[in-house]
Amino acid sequence: MTNTISHWVDDEVFAGTSGADGVRLAPVTNPATGVVTGQVALASVADAQTVIDAAAAAFPAWRDTSLTKRVSVLFRFRELLNERKDELAAIITSEHGKVLSDALGEVSRGQEVVEFACGIPHLLKGGFTENASTKVDVYSIRQPLGPVAIISPFNFPAMVPMWFFPVAIATGNTVVLKPSEKDPSAAVWIAQLWKEAGLPAGVFNVLQGDKTAVDELLTNPKIKSVSFVGSTPIAQYVYATGTAAGKRVQALGGAKNHAVILPDADLDLAADAMINAGFGSAGERCMAVSACVAVGPIADDLVAKISERAATLKTGDGTKDSDMGPLVTAAHRDKVASYIDAGEADGAKVVVDGRTVQADGGQEGFWLGPTLLDNVTPQMSVYTDEIFGPVLSVLRVETYDQALELINANPYGNGTAIFTNDGGAARRFQNEVEVGMVGINVPIPVPMAYYSFGGWKASLFGDSHAHGMDGVQFFTRQKAITQRWLDPSHGGINLGFPQNG
Ligand code: NAD
């Protein structure tokens, strides 16, 4: 085990400072083999401060760099990323476990945000009002915040950071990215790509670590905003701590996504969609469907169609020809499997059992096959908790209203979908459902980069979603200017409030 994954600061690898016990390290594992492939440095407070200081030092020059120059770096970054995305996908698969095609898909969805950010000169345009008062003009500009922090989860080591940093950098901020300690290498690869693209040193930095690093980012006065994605309890903590320290915070949390299948739906389409959304990336997606709500008499047919398809899926090493890879760690695999045990004990029917999967991968890999549970009820822990694994629960209800009530009563509100051939029903659902992202005959409705990504309720704390115009607004502060140049009429001394004329 020789590979140490360190911080990246000022365009160089930064090993971190040794405390009394040396640099703190955590193992990084290939989930398909169970083999420890490296060790990641876990920042001390002093390390975090070194990285934050570098971002702060780089800010004044980057803030004043012209939009033309900023955008030329972004275009170059986009080209390099596009040419070399296979390399990044391979890194993701080796530490996360998702299959290569899925890793490539993740990079492509992140690249969309880079492309969106290439249009920043247009998006940053302010307003101008001539002669708001006689010979007085009013206009507005948007300015960057300063050094900003991005704290990301293990399940999208490239795409989730890319929801934020292209827009943050394009708008003139400098960045400290704190990736998940489970798959830290993608962030360093991205940092090297920025260097190659010509981004000045200190504008994009990587801080490896755990709670120590996060807490310093949340409280250090030099950090002006925090973009967090992860589980709900940590998102809540990040939001409370960061805002108490006076920072702008957007904290995206966990999910429990429902898909409603109405009786008139195309059941083959719906069954395909449940397979893709339930088991893609081994269910480790915040937009995965984990609760399939079958409405009316179609439940038996739907369960049969999903189970036929699930039986054909190949679970194995993501570098081989597999449909689904392993879970991220042994502990997570065991936790997900324990939810299947609990569901069974609570009376759910195990239609497809992933606990007995024969995977095409290392014996010590963290395997769990696709699992389909039927007759799940809202009281079971397999329904109430976010499982984050390849477990699809079918809940049976009689009416559309019962399906809607189930979703709206759920504490999470990230994504949802409805499958139907009835446009009126779909339109009603889009209007009534209390969820941030809605798919109509689309199981994973991740918005394009020029819309914004974000859930409702316990799936997002703060009022700003990721990327799109929300991203531009989040990473800038607005300034309104009132000016008078010609024929200034001083009007003498007047202590009254300024009025227009
Ligand atoms: P996590 O909450 O365990 O970790 C997220 C980040 O927080 C990591 O960088 C981690 O190092 C840090 N962290 C962990 N514990 C911490 C603590 N006690 N104090 C401070 N920082 C801490 O999440 P995860 O397991 O890496 O990712 C999976 C979760 O992320 C799921 O709940 C999933 O739904 C969610 N997620 C949500 C979205 C979304 O858009 N809403 C997208 C992707 C993932």
Side-chain angles (χ1 to χ4, degrees):
M1 193 177 71
T2 52
N3 177 30
T4 300
I5 303 132
S6 300
H7 320 286
W8 178 270
V9 58
D10 268 340
D11 271 358
E12 283 178 4
V13 170
F14 168 51
T17 48
S18 297
D21 309 325
V23 174
R24 285 191 306 136
L25 298 166
V28 176
T29 308
N30 181 334
T33 60
V35 171
V36 174
T37 54
Q39 45 193 358
V40 59
L42 301 176
S44 62
V45 171
D47 295 335
Q49 287 169 349
T50 301
V51 180
I52 294 167
D53 287 350
F59 175 64
W62 184 243
R63 168 195 195 278
D64 289 339
T65 300
S66 73
L67 280 170
T68 305
K69 285 187 184 149
R70 279 191 225 155
V71 164
S72 70
V73 176
L74 276 156
F75 269 105
R76 182 80 188 116
F77 179 80
R78 187 266 171 207
E79 286 310 295
L80 290 171
L81 182 65
N82 195 42
E83 280 163 22
R84 293 174 44 191
K85 58 173 103 171
D86 287 341
E87 286 173 39
L88 182 54
I91 290 171
I92 294 169
T93 295
S94 71
E95 292 184 353
H96 175 284
K98 64 178 73 175
V99 300
L100 272 175
S101 56
D102 193 30
L104 211 46
E106 144 167 23
V107 178
S108 297
R109 293 308 305 261
Q111 186 177 312
E112 285 173 13
V113 185
V114 181
E115 289 159 5
F116 169 76
C118 285
I120 204 71
H122 179 70
L123 302 170
L124 268 185
K125 286 192 296 192
F128 191 101
T129 305
E130 187 184 41
N131 256 353
S133 185
T134 305
K135 292 181 180 166
V136 172
D137 308 324
V138 182
Y139 55 99
S140 67
I141 54 178
R142 301 204 73 97
Q143 297 187 320
L145 307 177
V148 300
I150 299 166
I151 301 164
S152 57
F154 82 84
N155 68 321
F156 284 107
M159 183 187 77
V160 164
M162 278 196 246
W163 281 350
F164 305 105
F165 68 68
V167 180
I169 289 174
T171 47
N173 302 280
T174 55
V175 170
V176 177
L177 168 61
K178 207 300 284 171
S180 167
E181 57 275 49
K182 295 192 178 95
D183 43 15
S185 296
V188 179
W189 187 93
I190 288 168
Q192 284 164 337
L193 206 71
W194 273 122
K195 181 180 179 178
E196 242 178 273
L199 191 72
V203 176
F204 182 84
N205 309 278
V206 178
L207 176 66
Q208 306 286 7
D210 52 11
K211 181 172 166 53
T212 304
V214 171
D215 284 347
E216 184 58 25
L217 291 170
L218 295 178
T219 52
N220 190 305
K222 291 182 183 163
I223 292 291
K224 300 302 176 198
S225 75
V226 178
S227 301
F228 172 90
V229 181
S231 57
T232 288
I234 311 296
Q236 243 169 333
Y237 167 75
V238 164
Y239 186 74
T241 313
T243 51
K247 300 183 200 313
R248 196 175 279 202
V249 181
Q250 50 183 174
L252 284 70
K256 192 79 189 178
N257 304 313
H258 299 65
V260 177
I261 319 296
L262 292 188
D264 71 328
D266 176 335
L267 289 192
D268 287 306
L269 175 92
D272 285 348
M274 291 307 94
I275 292 286
N276 300 342
F279 306 128
S281 197
E284 292 171 327
R285 288 182 184 141
C286 64
M287 292 292 274
V289 168
S290 58
C292 171
V293 188
V295 181
I298 46 105
D300 285 343
D301 281 353
L302 181 67
V303 168
K305 284 175 187 289
I306 298 173
S307 89
E308 271 164 32
R309 287 161 170 78
T312 67
L313 296 179
K314 184 179 156 196
T315 302
D317 190 318
T319 60
K320 297 183 180 172
D321 187 23
S322 309
D323 297 305
M324 201 182 92
L327 294 189
V328 69
T329 60
H332 188 54
R333 186 264 323 274
D334 294 347
K335 186 173 166 201
V336 176
S338 77
Y339 275 109
I340 305 173
D341 299 342
E344 192 172 27
D346 290 344
K349 181 177 171 197
V350 183
V351 182
V352 180
D353 192 345
R355 293 169 295 189
T356 55
V357 72
Q358 295 296 316
D360 181 12
Q363 292 215 325
E364 304 302 319
F366 311 141
W367 305 112
L368 187 67
T371 298
L372 181 64
L373 301 179
D374 193 5
N375 297 316
V376 171
T377 63
Q379 293 73 35
M380 295 179 188
S381 64
V382 73
Y383 175 77
T384 54
D385 296 3
E386 180 185 35
I387 299 178
F388 223 55
V391 182
L392 182 64
S393 296
V394 176
L395 293 95
R396 296 171 176 237
V397 298
E398 289 308 315
T399 64
Y400 163 87
D401 285 326
Q402 288 169 350
L404 182 75
E405 205 176 291
L406 194 62
I407 300 174
N408 286 353
N410 195 279
Y412 297 105
N414 211 41
T416 188
I418 189 164
F419 286 81
T420 179
N421 280 311
D422 180 343
R427 191 177 183 284
R428 198 178 145 192
F429 183 72
Q430 133 202 325
N431 174 261
E432 295 175 340
V433 76
E434 291 175 19
V435 172
M437 292 170 283
V438 181
I440 296 172
N441 297 321
V442 171
I444 311 177
V446 174
M448 295 294 293
Y450 40 87
Y451 286 88
S452 298
F453 182 107
W456 287 12
K457 303 190 275 186
S459 296
L460 188 142
F461 302 91
D463 46 18
S464 186
H465 290 198
H467 60 70
M469 286 315 290
D470 268 25
V472 176
Q473 280 162 17
F474 183 81
F475 286 117
T476 54
R477 294 192 280 189
Q478 196 163 205
K479 200 178 259 182
I481 297 136
T482 306
Q483 74 171 0
R484 175 165 59 198
W485 285 108
L486 298 172
D487 300 332
S489 66
H490 293 287
I493 291 173
N494 180 353
L495 270 59
F497 198 65
Q499 294 183 37
N500 298 323

